[in-house]
């Protein structure tokens, strides 16, 4: 105060200074001596940090499935090596040139490969291992053609090929360092749960991963640098060896710990929502509207596995198959109705293939944004 008096600042200036301090939110000095408690500025609420885990996605190049009918052997390969020896896959030769393939986790659909046409179809509602759905008369179920390259070696025309390859535009190896979970997917579908893989943590940011049958090499993944190498001349789970960079990209994102292992059984509330989506498909609503409802579902229930959701939707649509059977029993009296029902059932199941891929991509985007 003595310093202020020595400056001889006019009272009007002091008053103006007090007004400025009041307008900027600064509390007046020693306001508590005047009987008023000092005011505190409101502080922004801090969002609670929920436990999260880091997820890595290795985008693989040039993946393919190769199947040899003579030995009934199936392998999945990429990056110049075998990633799976077909564990969990079912395969049936329906005709010399026609094959049904599916992973055990696909409960409502399968692939039909025609080596004569060099084409692949995704079939919903058909009977795996035979031509035709259900127990009725056998008939061809075309399904929805998938734009994948099918290379055939040997077996000209309708004869049995020596082998055939299904090539993908890309595949993803999912790795959760916190849990050690690894899985392989493509086109929004599981190709392998990678139960025959193993992972080892060398440092907080450095891991070794490999198929257990690999000999003399493994992959090294650096979560900090988001890079991966093929290591030879070293020992798994120990530093050392010669590294060669893998030609792939690594994407990292945080995921709530509760979503690290998604649920496979929908709740009652979720079944109601899925039934509504099935009703939209049955009513022939535009695919954009169906996808929008699917996106809302994934956003509200991100911890449910998309394939489980699609299975529930497919189950709701099964009612149409009962209507088809009834029309088939009417024979000539309902021939026209049967054709209409038959076409509609095929159309509905074709929509499911697109919906499943979209839901899988939506789920990955949703959990990526939950930080």
């Amino acid at each position: 105060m003595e310093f202020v008096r020595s400056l001889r600042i006019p009272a009007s200036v002091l008053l103006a200074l007090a007004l400025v301090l009041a307008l900027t939110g600064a509390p007046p000095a020693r306001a508590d001596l005047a009987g008023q408690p000092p005011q505190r500025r409101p502080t922004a609420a801090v969002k609670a940090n929920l436990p999260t885990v880091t997820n890595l996605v290795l985008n693989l190049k040039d993946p393919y499935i190769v199947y040899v009918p003579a030995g009934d052997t199936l392998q999945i390969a990429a990056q110049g090596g075998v990633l799976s020896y077909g564990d969990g896959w079912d395969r049936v030769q329906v005709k010399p040139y026609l094959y049904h393939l599916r992973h055990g986790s696909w409960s409502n659909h399968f692939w039909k490969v025609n080596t004569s046409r060099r084409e692949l179809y995704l079939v919903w509602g058909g009977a795996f291992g035979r031509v035709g759905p259900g127990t009725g008369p056998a008939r061809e179920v075309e399904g929805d053609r998938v734009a994948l390259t099918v290379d055939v070696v040997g077996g000209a025309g309708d004869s049995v090929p020596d082998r055939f390859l299904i090539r993908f535009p890309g595949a993803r190896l999912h790795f959760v360092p916190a849990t050690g979970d690894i899985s392989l997917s493509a086109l929004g579908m599981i190709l392998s749960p990678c139960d025959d893989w193993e992972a080892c943590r060398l440092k907080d940011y450095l891991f070794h991963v490999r198929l257990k049958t690999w000999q003399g090499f493994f992959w090294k993944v650096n979560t900090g640098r988001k890079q991966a190498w093929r290591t030879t001349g070293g020992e798994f789970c120990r530093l050392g060896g010669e590294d060669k960079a893998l030609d792939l990209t690594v994407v990292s994102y945080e995921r709530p710990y509760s979503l690290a292992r998604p649920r496979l059984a929908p709740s009652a509330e979720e079944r109601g929502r899925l039934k509504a989506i099935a009703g939209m498909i049955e009513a022939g609503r535009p695919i954009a509207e169906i996808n929008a409802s699917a996106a809302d579902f994934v956003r509200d229930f991100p911890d449910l596995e998309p394939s489980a959701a699609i299975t529930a939707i497919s189950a709701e649509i099964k009612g149409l198959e009962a209507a088809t059977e009834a029309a088939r029993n009417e024979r000539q009296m309902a021939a026209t109705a049967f054709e209409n029902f038959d076409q509609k059932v095929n159309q509905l199941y074709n929509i499911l293939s697109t919906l499943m891929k979209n839901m899988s991509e939506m789920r990955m985007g949703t959990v990526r944004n939950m930080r």
Side-chain angles (χ1 to χ4, degrees):
M1 293 299 295
E2 293 297 326
F3 174 74
V4 173
R5 291 194 186 95
S6 65
L7 292 178
R8 296 183 180 178
I9 300 176
S12 59
V13 176
L14 292 175
L15 178 60
L17 180 60
L19 289 175
V20 170
L21 292 175
L23 291 175
T24 56
R30 305 297 294 175
D32 54 327
L33 297 180
Q36 299 179 1
Q39 298 179 356
R40 300 179 63 183
R41 289 186 180 182
T43 57
V46 179
K47 188 176 181 180
N49 293 324
L50 298 177
T52 60
V53 292
T54 300
N55 283 242
L56 296 179
V57 178
L58 282 66
N59 295 301
L60 310 178
K61 292 187 177 181
D62 302 323
Y64 62 89
I65 290 178
V66 58
Y67 179 62
V68 181
D72 189 29
T73 58
L74 184 147
Q75 296 180 1
I76 305 174
Q79 306 294 148
V82 177
L83 305 183
S84 172
Y85 286 95
D87 291 346
W89 278 81
D90 301 320
R91 48 264 190 186
V92 176
Q93 179 181 341
V94 181
K95 295 180 180 180
Y97 60 90
L98 194 66
Y99 298 83
H100 288 179
L101 306 175
R102 71 178 177 189
H103 188 265
S105 62
W106 305 356
S107 56
N108 290 279
H109 61 281
F110 59 88
W111 283 339
K112 182 182 70 175
V113 181
N114 188 313
T115 59
S116 177
R117 299 179 184 175
R118 298 173 184 258
E119 295 175 347
L120 183 144
Y121 299 85
L122 179 60
V123 179
W124 291 85
F128 182 80
R130 65 187 298 272
V131 179
T135 58
R139 62 183 180 85
E140 189 76 8
V141 179
E142 279 297 325
D144 187 22
R145 183 177 176 182
V146 183
L148 295 178
T149 300
V150 178
D151 293 334
V152 181
V153 179
D158 294 345
S159 58
V160 178
D162 295 337
R163 65 180 181 274
F164 62 84
L165 294 85
I166 303 171
R167 299 188 181 276
F168 302 90
R172 293 170 172 172
L173 188 71
H174 305 264
F175 174 46
V176 185
T179 62
D181 291 343
I182 303 174
S183 62
L184 179 66
S185 70
L187 304 178
M189 305 179 189
I190 291 294
L191 299 184
S192 173
C194 295
D195 294 332
D196 47 359
W197 280 65
E198 60 182 343
C200 176
R201 180 193 297 267
L202 286 83
K203 298 183 179 180
D204 290 342
Y205 59 88
L206 194 63
F207 296 83
H208 285 173
V209 295
R210 70 175 178 183
L211 180 66
K212 294 178 180 178
T213 56
W214 286 356
Q215 298 293 328
F217 71 96
F218 48 83
W219 286 359
K220 182 171 72 174
V221 180
N222 188 308
T223 61
R225 297 169 60 180
K226 296 183 177 60
Q227 289 182 300
W229 300 265
R230 187 179 190 270
T231 301
T232 57
E235 184 177 347
F236 186 76
C237 211
R238 302 190 73 172
L239 294 173
E242 183 178 350
D243 298 333
K244 182 179 180 180
L246 289 169
D247 185 18
L248 53 79
T249 58
V250 180
V251 179
S252 174
Y253 63 94
E254 296 299 312
R255 188 180 197 180
Y257 187 80
S258 60
L259 306 186
R261 297 184 177 181
R263 292 181 295 108
L264 299 178
S267 65
E269 180 183 1
E270 291 167 341
R271 284 196 296 270
R273 291 277 294 275
L274 294 172
K275 184 176 182 179
I277 296 176
M280 294 173 63
I281 296 176
E282 289 181 331
R285 304 299 300 172
I287 186 64
E289 185 176 337
I290 296 172
N291 282 336
S293 296
D296 291 339
F297 179 88
V298 172
R299 186 163 45 250
D300 295 339
F301 309 103
D303 58 336
L304 179 67
E305 175 63 38
S307 60
I310 293 297
T311 298
I313 293 174
S314 177
E316 294 293 341
I317 297 179
K318 287 291 185 180
L320 280 180
E321 292 188 352
T324 303
E325 290 293 333
R328 181 182 289 112
N329 295 334
E330 294 292 338
R331 297 289 181 177
Q332 296 180 352
M333 294 178 58
T336 302
F338 166 71
E339 292 297 331
N340 292 337
F341 273 120
D342 195 45
Q343 293 176 6
K344 187 174 182 181
V345 169
N346 286 336
Q347 292 172 358
L348 297 181
Y349 281 118
N350 291 344
I351 291 175
L352 287 179
S353 63
T354 301
L355 183 60
M356 181 169 63
K357 180 180 178 181
N358 291 343
M359 288 187 74
S360 181
E361 293 176 350
M362 292 170 190
R363 182 175 186 274
M364 179 167 289
T366 298
V367 298
R368 185 184 297 118
N369 294 330
M370 295 179 66
R371 296 180 181 272

